Amino acid sequence: MIAGLALAPAVEPPWAAGPSTREIASIDIPVMLQGGDLDTLTPFEQTSQRAYDLLGPPRYLVEILHTGHFGFSDLCVPPCGLPGMLTQDEAHRTALRYAVPFLLQWVAGDRRFETFLTPAPGTVFTADAG
């Protein structure tokens, strides 16, 4: 099976170069979106939440608290590393805590880890598994 995993995604209006709302709404595979609540490049509400709202099930949304845009990257660009933010390692662990069971379930067909697709401290988790 095929699934999509988007980390700090961008959603553009139809006239821009990025994926349009119409294109996102036409996706018919399981999708997980992850974003940081402190992301200033792709603000969570305008991008990850917006894309989630356009998708049909199965769909998953993970808002990682105290994380900016570069929490999903090996590159630490300010405001990354500021007091009160997750470290890169902490952000990576949180992203993987959701990404791995999602991919195991929807790509590998292994449902043993779906219990990890639930809320955890430091996140806001939303799912519509259909």
Side-chain angles (χ1 to χ4, degrees):
M1 180 173 245
I2 296 174
L5 173 63
L7 305 174
V11 178
E12 301 290 342
W15 47 264
S20 72
T21 56
R22 185 173 53 253
E23 291 167 327
I24 293 168
S26 72
I27 294 171
D28 64 354
I29 59 172
V31 174
M32 175 177 278
L33 303 151
Q34 293 189 20
D37 69 331
L38 302 177
D39 190 335
T40 57
L41 293 176
T42 56
F44 184 84
E45 290 295 324
Q46 297 166 354
T47 58
S48 299
Q49 182 67 58
R50 183 171 168 213
Y52 178 84
D53 293 342
L54 293 167
L55 293 166
R59 61 188 178 158
Y60 301 82
L61 179 65
V62 183
E63 181 179 14
I64 301 177
L65 305 179
H66 312 293
T67 300
H69 189 76
F70 291 95
F72 302 96
S73 161
D74 290 335
L75 181 64
C76 183
V77 174
C80 170
L82 292 178
M85 294 186 75
L86 294 182
T87 66
Q88 295 292 102
D89 288 343
E90 291 168 329
H92 291 173
R93 277 192 297 276
T94 303
L96 289 170
R97 184 246 185 257
Y98 288 99
V100 170
F102 170 78
L103 294 171
L104 284 171
Q105 178 173 333
W106 292 106
V107 176
D110 185 344
R111 300 185 82 85
R112 291 180 293 167
F113 302 98
E114 72 181 318
T115 57
F116 288 98
L117 296 175
T118 56
T123 66
V124 177
F125 179 78
T126 308
D128 179 1

